[in-house]
Amino acid sequence: MNPGDPFFSSPFSHLYRRHTPYMGQPDYRIYELNKRLQQRSEESDNLWWDAFTTEFFEDDATMTLSFCLEDGPKRYTIGRTLIPRYFRSIFEGGVTDLYFILKHPKESFHNTTIVLDCEQALMVTHHGKPMFTKVVTEGRLILEFTFDDLMRIRSWHFATRQHRELIPRSVIAMQQDPAMVEQLSKNITRQGLTNYTLNFLRLCVILEPMQELMSRHKVYHMGPRDCLKTTLFQKWQRMVAPPALKSKSPLAENETNRQPNKRRKRKGSATNNANLNSMGSTGGSKQKRSPGPQAFNPVPGDVMVVGEPTLMGGEFGDEDERLITRLENQQFEPSLCEDSVGPRSGTPGGEDIKPPPGTLSE
């Protein structure tokens, strides 16, 4: 094509350049993790390892390692507080360098997380003792990152398949002693992990449940026995309480909760019945009264006010029951009931009521 053509685009223009890689990609975070591990020195203390873990792992992160030893498959899971000690144990076991290589990783995006799944992940460690050895551990690495600016690891799972220990050929050629050659042929790791790291993982099975005791000791400055007693007592309470609640059926639990609301002591009805009984006992010798009119009391002792239903159910009880409020009737006088309630004519055993003078009567 002619360079003078207005539609001609040079291959060195910005249209042919590769886009700037997104620095927040999961595999780039592993590159940063490897770079930070290379900056480690012999003087790196617990604060350095804790800062390293804070940079790349979430506060509630977990790390799971699964592999198969001579006595069967093993699976260890540690929390955020023990992750710094795990990386430190690798270097304290004789490792001088550690880095991870990811081949053809697959990424999947979710609402709040990014999952990186790598079938061919390599953990490479360099050992200086007893002889320089390069150990390549192959397995599957599944990482779960938070989908934010920090992009820290929330879950780490490395399943080991096999490992290889590589020794320089020159080192073997220099050895003339057959016993030394046999010594070099022995593995210095087990599934890519040193005995120091394996012992640490076994201790984590004990240390992980003791994190509560350690934190309680730090906060409350309690002794070991007091921390243990308090923790066991609280766990006993949590273990005993749920079965007691589960043993009750939902209907029984609802009835228990509704029992205080259903207890309505109707003092007014009891008072009215007592007044009627007293009236019947005093006037029973003179006259007999009808049970119908006597059972009705036109002036009750208590006024029961029923709450009207509202749209939001503010005045409802359990199962949309209306609340009933009792108001004391201060104007109630039992003596008025005796005068107002009397025998009527036409009733069994009743007497005729004479009209007052000055009125017409049939």
Side-chain angles (χ1 to χ4, degrees), residues 85-100:
R85 299 186 183 184
Y86 164 75
F87 283 101
R88 187 173 184 177
S89 68
I90 295 177
F91 291 93
E92 290 179 352
V95 175
T96 58
D97 196 3
L98 167 65
Y99 55 92
F100 297 88

Side-chain angles (χ1 to χ4, degrees), residues 109-136:
F109 296 85
H110 300 276
N111 293 332
T112 58
T113 59
I114 302 176
V115 179
L116 184 143
D117 189 353
C118 183
E119 286 285 349
Q120 299 178 357
L122 303 178
M123 183 182 69
V124 183
T125 56
H126 294 172
H127 298 255
K129 297 177 182 180
M131 192 64 64
F132 176 78
T133 308
K134 180 180 179 180
V135 180
V136 180

Side-chain angles (χ1 to χ4, degrees), residues 343-355:
R344 294 182 180 179
S345 62
T347 58
E351 300 178 358
D352 294 337
I353 300 178
K354 297 180 181 182

Side-chain angles (χ1 to χ4, degrees), residues 268 271-272 275 297-303 328-338:
T271 307
N272 297 336
N275 294 334
N297 190 357
V299 187
D302 292 342
V303 180
E328 297 293 338
N329 189 1
Q330 302 296 338
Q331 301 177 356
F332 169 69
E333 296 182 5
S335 58
L336 296 177
C337 293
E338 294 189 30

Side-chain angles (χ1 to χ4, degrees), residues 269-284 289 294-295 297 338:
S269 301
T271 307
N272 297 336
N273 294 335
N275 294 334
L276 292 175
N277 294 334
S278 61
M279 290 160 50
S281 61
T282 53
R289 303 180 182 232
Q294 291 179 7
N297 190 357
E338 294 189 30

Side-chain angles (χ1 to χ4, degrees), residues 40-304:
R40 181 201 63 90
S41 62
E42 297 295 337
E43 290 77 16
S44 299
D45 54 359
N46 292 333
L47 295 178
W48 189 92
W49 285 109
D50 190 72
F52 161 79
T53 309
T54 303
E55 181 180 358
F56 294 98
F57 290 88
E58 282 286 329
D59 296 338
D60 56 347
T62 59
M63 174 178 286
T64 303
L65 303 174
S66 57
F67 45 86
C68 187
L69 296 180
E70 297 83 2
D71 54 348
K74 304 293 181 182
R75 183 186 177 95
Y76 296 98
T77 302
I78 58 178
R80 165 64 179 81
T81 55
L82 297 178
I83 291 178
R85 299 186 183 184
Y86 164 75
F87 283 101
R88 187 173 184 177
S89 68
I90 295 177
F91 291 93
E92 290 179 352
V95 175
T96 58
D97 196 3
L98 167 65
Y99 55 92
F100 297 88
I101 301 176
L102 305 181
K103 295 182 179 180
H104 310 293
K106 298 179 182 179
E107 302 174 5
S108 59
F109 296 85
H110 300 276
N111 293 332
T112 58
T113 59
I114 302 176
V115 179
L116 184 143
D117 189 353
C118 183
E119 286 285 349
Q120 299 178 357
L122 303 178
M123 183 182 69
V124 183
T125 56
H126 294 172
H127 298 255
K129 297 177 182 180
M131 192 64 64
F132 176 78
T133 308
K134 180 180 179 180
V135 180
V136 180
T137 306
E138 181 183 351
R140 181 181 180 182
L141 180 63
I142 302 176
L143 302 178
E144 183 180 353
F145 294 85
T146 55
F147 191 55
D148 55 8
D149 297 336
L150 297 179
M151 204 170 182
R152 296 189 296 180
I153 300 173
R154 180 179 297 177
S155 174
W156 175 300
H157 186 195
F158 186 69
T160 303
R161 284 194 294 265
Q162 61 179 353
H163 80 290
R164 299 186 302 271
E165 297 185 1
L166 309 177
I167 302 176
R169 187 187 300 272
S170 59
V171 175
I172 300 178
M174 292 173 54
Q175 302 297 332
Q176 302 295 331
D177 187 5
M180 190 63 183
V181 175
E182 184 180 358
Q183 183 69 21
L184 291 176
S185 63
K186 295 181 179 180
N187 293 337
I188 61 176
T189 63
R190 300 172 64 185
Q191 292 294 324
L193 299 176
T194 61
N195 290 329
Y196 190 90
T197 303
L198 287 176
N199 292 333
F200 170 76
L201 293 176
R202 295 190 186 99
L203 289 176
C204 287
V205 179
I206 305 175
L207 292 176
E208 192 72 25
M210 293 180 63
Q211 292 299 317
E212 187 175 357
L213 298 177
M214 298 177 183
S215 60
R216 189 181 299 275
H217 172 71
K218 279 186 177 181
V219 175
Y220 300 103
H221 302 284
M222 300 171 61
R225 291 182 178 274
D226 296 336
C227 292
L228 183 60
K229 289 180 180 179
T230 306
T231 305
L232 291 178
F233 178 72
Q234 292 182 354
K235 286 193 173 184
W236 176 80
Q237 284 183 329
R238 291 194 293 266
M239 291 174 62
V240 171
L245 295 178
K246 291 179 181 179
S247 61
K248 296 182 179 181
S249 62
L251 181 60
E253 187 175 357
N254 295 335
E255 293 295 334
T256 305
N257 296 333
R258 292 171 52 191
Q259 187 174 2
N261 298 331
K262 282 197 169 184
R263 290 179 180 176
R264 300 190 183 107
K265 298 180 179 179
R266 303 193 177 184
K267 297 181 180 179
S269 301
T271 307
N272 297 336
N273 294 335
N275 294 334
L276 292 175
N277 294 334
S278 61
M279 290 160 50
S281 61
T282 53
S285 58
K286 297 181 179 180
Q287 57 187 3
K288 295 182 181 180
R289 303 180 182 232
S290 173
Q294 291 179 7
F296 173 73
N297 190 357
V299 187
D302 292 342
V303 180
M304 310 300 290

Side-chain angles (χ1 to χ4, degrees), residues 18-25 27-28:
R18 295 183 60 187
H19 294 283
T20 304
Y22 174 60
M23 296 304 177
Q25 293 180 351
D27 52 352
Y28 187 79

